[in-house]
Amino acid sequence: MRRVLIVSPHFCPVNAPDMQRARIMLPQLRAHGWEPVVLALTPDTVEGAVIEPALEETYPDDIRVVRVRGLPPRLTRRFGFGGLWLRAGRALRRAGERLLAAEKFDLVFFTTTQFDAFTLGPRWLARFGVPYVLDYQDPWVTDHYARTGQQPPGGPLRFAISQWRARRREPEILERSAGIVSVSPAYLTDLSARCPSVTAKPSAVLPFGASPADLDIARGRPPARPLVPFGDGCIHFVYTGRGGDDLRPALGLLFSALAEFRERDPHTAGKLRLHFIGTSYAPPPLGRETILPVAREHGVADLVRETCHRVPYLEALHYLSRADAILAVGSDDPSYNASKLAPCLLAGRPLLAIFHANSPAHGFLARHAPGARRVAFDPASSRNHASREDLATWFDKAGWSQSPQVSLPSLDPMLASAMTARLAALFDLSLRSEHFTS
């Protein structure tokens, strides 16, 4: 049995998007010849974390999880900094080095959006001879904010400094890696353009796999204080996931079509409630509304509810499983590939999906959910009027009452079991790769 050290700083019970791949693959890895050990931070180290103990019931309880504690944010904030890597990177590095020095590992897998963790890969390869695989859940280097004019996270200066550091570090880290995983084919294309050696490395495009077991647990666990009042006589649409200014084009289409529908059928429109849940990663009450401002611009804010703080993952799945319709709203970035589409389809509810015309989400839905209403937009095109008309037709024909027509057998490759098999195969191939050097 080969052994893999999985570096996932935000691992559960912290409820963070970038730990989901690690969590859902743990029940399957042993069947493919890999014994996992997880290296994570203690929950109290993660500032503002939503703690969801139920997530620890979703993987075998004999999986070894090594947790290390960084500096508490309440201490470092006094000195003007609170970034997770500045507070906890040294502790994570030292814990990893103790493990690699004392035990035999065949591979290290970095699966996190804390990209500074990637810098440990070359260091550990040189010191211990253990190859590493990188998981790109987001792009580390990106021109998205410069191209769109949107406000980057942390502000322009802070983001510019982080991008300068990323551009200096990423080439060597990629060059010495044994393999690369990405949630989007566009990320691999961009990496290959910046580092041509990537094309010769083992790589795979792997969205997060959906777990039917998660849906089963979620259906049987209604929240004590539900955010959606099912059974109140209204028609409830549910979106779960982050908000952000990059969703404005899709939201503008949705809310303008809703406004037109209300003019034609005020009685039915008055029963609609559009719930956007967990739109910010910040803890309450610090979340910033990014959905309601767009709804106000189109005069439909009274029909929209936004919960702008993160909610427990299984609670979010519960809302999807009971929704009259599920909303999937995409970014203005054409490379954006919503990893949560597969769980939406497993929920078995009607689906309204609004994505950039060049998003791979359209092809995914065409194959797996022919009954879903897909609407394409392009911020640079004049064809968005036709897309709004398409949305208006969905409202007029009560698309939320139509069968979802999901092709469940075709979803098998998107489930956690199949995704883990592909990931384990990439691990195997990475060990045979001649494209990493210690």
Side-chain angles (χ1 to χ4, degrees):
M1 183 80 70
R2 290 170 169 170
R3 302 182 77 224
V4 56
L5 179 61
I6 300 171
V7 181
S8 177
H10 290 137
F11 192 67
C12 50
V14 173
N15 168 10
D18 68 341
M19 66 84 194
Q20 293 292 358
R21 193 187 304 278
R23 180 185 68 84
I24 64 173
M25 73 184 189
L26 290 182
Q28 317 287 339
L29 270 178
R30 287 167 171 163
H32 298 285
W34 285 92
E35 176 65 31
V37 175
V38 180
L39 177 59
L41 296 173
T42 58
D44 60 309
T45 301
V46 183
E47 187 174 25
V50 172
I51 306 302
E52 189 173 358
L55 289 176
E56 295 186 289
E57 302 173 19
T58 63
Y59 62 88
D61 57 11
D62 62 343
I63 295 288
R64 184 178 168 203
V65 181
V66 178
R67 303 184 190 276
V68 296
R69 178 172 281 105
L71 295 174
R74 66 179 182 277
L75 173 64
T76 63
R77 287 292 178 190
R78 301 174 187 173
F79 301 97
F81 71 95
L84 184 63
W85 192 253
L86 290 174
R87 293 188 293 103
R90 182 172 180 269
L92 201 72
R93 172 180 61 78
R94 294 180 66 183
E97 290 174 356
R98 285 194 297 270
L99 284 167
L100 292 167
E103 306 174 29
K104 183 183 185 304
F105 287 91
D106 299 279
L107 190 71
V108 177
F109 180 46
F110 294 96
T111 177
T112 176
T113 53
Q114 288 290 316
F115 292 113
D116 284 307
F118 287 8
T119 63
L120 299 177
R123 177 187 177 98
W124 290 351
L125 176 63
R127 184 170 177 182
F128 303 103
V130 181
Y132 61 92
V133 170
L134 306 172
D135 182 9
Y136 273 81
Q137 301 182 23
D138 282 324
W140 190 5
V141 174
T142 178
D143 66 349
H144 175 72
Y145 298 100
R147 181 165 34 84
T148 62
Q150 295 173 6
Q151 179 80 356
L157 178 60
R158 189 172 179 181
F159 184 74
I161 293 172
S162 71
Q163 285 291 286
W164 177 79
R165 294 173 66 239
R167 287 187 173 91
R168 286 172 58 93
R169 293 177 168 189
E170 187 180 55
E172 179 195 1
I173 294 170
L174 285 171
E175 184 72 30
R176 303 184 69 184
S177 67
I180 300 168
V181 178
S182 170
V183 299
S184 170
Y187 296 168
L188 282 180
T189 300
D190 290 344
L191 290 175
S192 299
R194 294 197 299 273
C195 183
S197 67
V198 166
T199 58
K201 293 181 181 294
S203 63
V205 176
L206 296 178
F208 294 168
S211 171
D214 286 351
L215 266 297
D216 291 341
I217 294 172
R219 288 189 181 100
R221 292 195 180 190
R225 296 181 179 179
L227 298 171
V228 183
F230 296 115
D232 65 349
C234 291
I235 301 164
H236 297 283
F237 301 169
V238 175
Y239 168 93
T240 61
R242 70 161 183 86
D245 294 335
D246 60 321
L247 303 186
R248 269 186 164 269
L251 292 171
L253 275 178
L254 174 64
F255 294 147
S256 62
L258 178 59
E260 292 177 12
F261 174 64
R262 178 151 66 176
E263 291 181 3
R264 293 190 297 272
D265 188 349
H267 176 71
T268 303
K271 297 180 180 179
L272 301 181
R273 298 293 182 270
L274 282 65
H275 302 268
F276 293 81
I277 298 173
T279 58
S280 169
Y281 298 146
L286 301 178
R288 178 176 69 93
E289 292 179 346
T290 56
I291 310 298
L292 274 171
V294 186
R296 293 188 188 102
E297 292 172 10
H298 293 274
V300 294
D302 57 313
L303 305 179
V304 176
R305 308 287 184 269
E306 180 177 8
T307 302
C308 54
H309 59 261
R310 191 155 182 82
V311 301
Y313 177 71
L314 295 174
E315 180 177 335
L317 288 185
H318 181 84
Y319 297 136
L320 293 179
S321 71
R322 295 199 58 192
D324 291 290
I326 294 172
L327 299 174
V329 181
S331 169
D332 60 5
D333 182 352
S335 67
Y336 179 74
N337 188 13
S339 297
K340 58 180 176 288
L341 278 177
C344 288
L345 299 186
L346 281 181
R349 310 305 302 155
L351 176 66
L352 174 61
I354 309 172
F355 285 92
H356 192 288
N358 296 326
S359 170
H362 289 289
F364 173 85
L365 290 172
R367 291 190 300 273
H368 302 295
R373 175 54 63 94
R374 292 182 289 113
V375 177
F377 70 89
D378 185 345
S381 172
S382 60
R383 298 178 58 187
N384 291 326
H385 177 74
S387 298
R388 187 168 63 251
E389 289 299 315
D390 195 29
L391 269 171
T393 300
W394 188 84
F395 280 112
D396 287 333
K397 294 186 177 181
W400 58 86
S401 64
Q402 299 169 12
S403 169
Q405 297 178 19
V406 175
S407 176
L408 290 177
S410 75
L411 271 182
D412 286 347
M414 303 301 299
L415 299 185
S417 54
M419 285 293 176
T420 305
R422 292 177 61 193
L423 185 63
L426 178 71
F427 287 174
D428 294 338
L429 188 60
S430 297
L431 292 189
R432 298 194 295 269
S433 172
E434 298 177 357
H435 300 284
F436 66 89
T437 56
S438 58

